[in-house]
Amino acid sequence: MDESRTRPRPPQSSGLASVHGSVDRRDQLLHRLSALTSDFAYSAEVRPDGTIHSQWLSESFERLFGLSYAEIVEIGWRRFVHPADQELTRERLEALLAGGSFDGIFRLLQADGSVLSLFDRARSVVDGDGRVIEIYGAATDITERLRSEERLRESEQKYRRLVESSPMPIVVHCEARIVFVNDAAVHALGGERAADLLHRRVLELVHPEDRSDAAQRIRAVYRGEHDGQPVEERLLRLDGEVLEALVVGKTIDYQGRPGGEVTFQDVTERNRVQRQRRMLEERDQHARKLESLGSLAAGIAHDFNNLLVGVLGHTDLALDMLDEPTPVREHLEELGRAAQQAADLAQQLLDYAGEARGRAESLDLSSLVAEMEKLLRISVRKRADVSCWLGSDLPPVVGDRGQLRQVVMNLLLNAADAMVDVAAGDVGSGSRERSRGRIEVRTRAEADAARSFTEDFLVDARAPRVVLEVTDDGCGMDAETLRRLFDPFFTTKPTGRGLGMATVLGLVRAHRGALAVRSTLGEGTTVEVALPAASGDG
């Protein structure tokens, strides 16, 4: 279609004059209506020869271009179309002249060179013979809307770039499913790429014990009621590992629907350090308490021994003064036996306090246990089988033979007592039946000081060291029993004084050793005693 066919002929007057110069009531009505709206409206006559003659343009066009109707027609309306949209305009006209319609956007150039974007809706009128006789339409200025949308897109792209490059893990969810994750979140949650997490339900990544509370917070976020306060919860990585995280959620609009943006910080290591610090503080307090109790026990034992010296001395003198057996002699002998038992108890208190006096000598720990092996088996033969796995060529340790024998025997008897509990079904093992338990005694050398016995309990040990290990498959201990294991006079047995493990602790202390205990309720206990090798310092 050439320009001569589509270029309108200028009217004889401006404004609403038709191409014939007459002003009819229809044009007046259109004029009044167009004055009430900022939209652009137009109509044009299509002559039988196919030429187009503008009949009417709304005043909005005159205001837009700063030109009168006559001037616009004189210049030719296609001269105002943006060069990039010329082809689109030609195709649009062809469609309208063929009896079709047009809905779309095109751009106009204003007098000052600025671009105006219009959304145009154009229609054609066909007569009874099927010939197009008129084209009319209306256009809406969407320039600002498009600019706003462009700014919004730029803002969204900037936001996406910031989010994607953020070192803080960020997850966006909508309808309880993940719709976006940044690289930091993918890495933190154990994925290789975003696709590993997209479209998953959010609660799949929350620890089962925390899902109920997390579901409530998600609903609150969608309702816009979440206060945005950080919450600590456990997340599940894709590999199944638990991630302790400080989570902050907020409400966002996601494509016209309520969504949630979650940022989280991995606090697993921080919490581990805090738990370890609290554990060490508790152990330090416990060790201080035991040390205080030891000092108190030592003081009482010394004073008690001083009194017993007088009691035993006077008893012996009284017995020497009696020549014949008399009822008095029997009472004095009974008194002496009771005083001697009291002295033994005082010695146990001194052992617990680490003030046991012994004769130090160089000893082979494996040889010492081997010498006791027969006695050990006999002592527990009704309750457990004893297996000894003794290391050879161990470095010697310096200590008192009798006191170390007492350590071995106390550990073995304590393990045997655990078998009685299992056989009786006292410790949550249900109807588990067994006739005998199993106790293993091992000795070995360790040259690696990196493994610290203070991780489990007490005292420092320097490498190289010799380790005595006693393991049983008895009833085991819960956390509270394990915590009080070395308290003097604490016992879980219906009878007994409860000084067995306390005495072991005192004797290990006296030998500058370390003691570690690992126990699981219903499965058994392992006690390790580490003694400095004679080749070490001091």
Side-chain angles (χ1 to χ4, degrees):
M1 182 184 299
D2 58 41
E3 182 67 22
S4 63
R5 296 185 62 198
T6 59
R7 181 170 178 174
R9 188 178 60 192
Q12 297 176 355
S13 61
S14 64
L16 297 176
S18 69
V19 292
H20 303 293
S22 62
V23 179
D24 56 18
R25 295 180 61 186
R26 174 177 175 272
D27 290 340
Q28 292 177 0
L29 177 60
L30 291 174
H31 169 69
R32 291 167 185 162
L33 290 175
S34 68
L36 299 176
T37 178
S38 59
D39 283 359
F40 307 98
Y42 58 89
S43 69
E45 176 190 6
V46 180
R47 298 279 179 88
D49 59 0
T51 58
I52 300 173
H53 298 271
S54 294
Q55 291 179 304
W56 176 77
L57 294 174
S58 66
E59 290 186 351
S60 301
F61 278 108
E62 295 183 342
R63 293 194 298 269
L64 170 63
F65 296 114
L67 300 172
S68 67
Y69 173 83
E71 290 172 324
I72 294 173
V73 172
E74 177 66 25
I75 296 173
W77 60 270
R78 289 189 61 180
R79 301 292 177 86
F80 296 100
V81 176
H82 192 284
D85 291 347
Q86 289 289 341
E87 181 62 23
L88 174 65
T89 302
R90 185 186 65 78
E91 293 174 357
R92 166 182 172 246
L93 280 174
E94 289 179 350
L96 291 171
L97 290 173
S101 61
F102 175 85
D103 289 336
I105 298 174
F106 71 96
R107 291 166 292 178
L108 295 179
L109 291 175
Q110 297 180 260
D112 58 3
S114 59
V115 178
L116 186 74
S117 297
L118 299 178
F119 181 79
D120 188 26
R121 295 168 296 276
R123 301 291 183 268
S124 57
V125 178
V126 181
D127 64 9
D129 297 329
R131 187 178 67 83
V132 176
I133 60 174
E134 185 180 5
I135 296 173
Y136 67 95
T140 302
D141 182 0
I142 59 171
T143 306
E144 190 56 38
R145 192 189 80 184
L146 293 181
R147 289 173 181 169
S148 298
E149 290 176 354
E150 180 63 24
R151 288 194 295 267
L152 180 60
R153 281 194 297 272
E154 291 176 355
S155 177
E156 288 177 347
Q157 291 173 358
K158 182 178 180 181
Y159 171 76
R160 178 176 286 271
R161 287 194 296 269
L162 288 174
V163 168
E164 289 176 343
S165 62
S166 171
M168 181 72 72
I170 300 176
V171 176
V172 176
H173 57 86
C174 182
E175 296 179 354
R177 291 190 179 273
I178 297 173
V179 294
F180 171 81
V181 285
N182 68 349
D183 290 342
V186 172
H187 176 73
L189 294 171
E192 296 183 358
R193 53 190 179 276
D196 296 336
L197 295 164
L198 291 177
H199 310 303
R200 286 178 178 266
R201 295 190 65 82
V202 179
L203 292 181
E204 289 182 25
L205 300 177
V206 179
H207 192 281
E209 295 178 5
D210 295 346
R211 284 176 184 170
S212 178
D213 292 339
Q216 292 182 13
R217 287 193 295 273
I218 290 174
R219 287 193 291 268
V221 165
Y222 290 160
R223 293 194 301 265
E225 299 172 357
H226 186 55
D227 56 11
Q229 294 298 313
V231 177
E232 191 165 316
E233 66 183 16
R234 291 167 294 179
L235 304 179
L236 286 180
R237 288 167 46 93
L238 296 182
D239 57 11
E241 290 186 10
V242 177
L243 179 74
E244 298 177 35
L246 193 64
V247 178
V248 178
K250 68 176 183 179
T251 305
I252 63 170
D253 178 87
Y254 180 78
Q255 297 180 354
R257 294 172 293 169
E261 180 188 85
V262 176
T263 59
F264 63 90
Q265 178 184 0
D266 184 355
V267 295
T268 307
E269 181 62 20
R270 185 200 71 181
N271 289 354
R272 188 192 67 79
V273 171
Q274 289 179 348
R275 285 193 295 268
Q276 186 177 41
R277 183 185 298 116
R278 286 195 297 269
M279 179 181 64
L280 292 175
E281 289 173 352
E282 290 173 359
R283 288 176 176 173
D284 181 63
Q285 292 174 0
H286 190 58
R288 290 177 183 274
K289 183 186 75 171
L290 293 180
E291 185 178 355
S292 299
L293 288 172
S295 300
L296 176 63
I300 293 174
H302 283 301
D303 292 342
F304 196 43
N305 267 336
N306 292 335
L307 295 174
L308 289 175
V309 168
V311 172
L312 289 171
H314 285 292
T315 301
D316 289 340
L317 289 174
L319 288 171
D320 290 341
M321 294 173 64
L322 296 175
D323 296 330
E324 301 294 333
T326 64
V328 174
R329 173 177 284 278
E330 293 178 3
H331 290 306
L332 288 174
E333 289 175 348
E334 186 63 34
L335 177 62
R337 284 191 290 272
Q340 187 58 53
Q341 291 176 354
D344 292 341
L345 178 60
Q347 184 59 46
Q348 282 189 295
L349 288 173
L350 288 173
D351 291 343
Y352 164 70
E355 296 191 11
R357 294 185 179 88
R359 187 172 65 87
E361 58 180 303
S362 180
L363 299 170
D364 184 310
L365 191 60
S366 291
S367 298
L368 184 143
V369 175
E371 294 170 1
M372 299 177 63
E373 186 171 351
K374 185 176 180 179
L375 176 61
L376 297 175
R377 296 182 190 279
I378 293 173
S379 300
V380 300
R381 65 181 183 276
K382 294 183 179 180
R383 291 172 284 182
D385 294 320
V386 179
S387 300
C388 294
W389 308 86
L390 307 178
S392 58
D393 299 326
L394 299 184
V397 298
V398 176
D400 180 87
R401 182 179 297 272
Q403 292 175 1
L404 292 180
R405 287 169 64 93
Q406 185 179 357
V407 168
V408 176
M409 183 60 72
N410 279 3
L411 291 178
L412 196 77
L413 293 176
N414 205 60
D417 287 340
M419 308 301 172
V420 176
D421 286 341
V422 171
D426 291 341
V427 191
S429 54
S431 59
R432 176 180 166 193
E433 296 181 0
R434 59 183 296 167
S435 57
R436 300 173 66 81
R438 186 179 71 255
I439 300 174
E440 295 181 354
V441 181
R442 301 174 184 270
T443 58
R444 65 178 183 275
E446 284 192 356
D448 184 6
R451 193 174 77 92
S452 173
F453 275 71
T454 57
E455 180 180 336
D456 296 293
F457 195 80
L458 219 55
V459 194
D460 180 29
R462 283 173 278 182
R465 55 200 178 194
V466 180
V467 178
L468 167 70
E469 179 183 306
V470 178
T471 300
D472 66 72
D473 60 350
C475 62
M477 293 176 281
D478 58 21
E480 178 61 20
T481 301
L482 189 60
R483 188 180 67 82
R484 300 189 60 190
L485 180 62
F486 300 101
D487 287 1
F489 307 111
F490 170 76
T491 181
T492 59
K493 308 297 184 292
T495 59
R497 296 185 297 256
L499 270 173
M501 291 303 294
T503 300
V504 169
L505 175 61
L507 293 175
V508 171
R509 277 177 164 176
H511 286 78
R512 295 175 53 238
L515 195 149
V517 181
R518 298 187 302 277
S519 185
T520 302
L521 191 63
E523 296 183 10
T525 301
T526 296
V527 181
E528 292 177 294
V529 173
L531 301 173
S535 58
D537 296 339

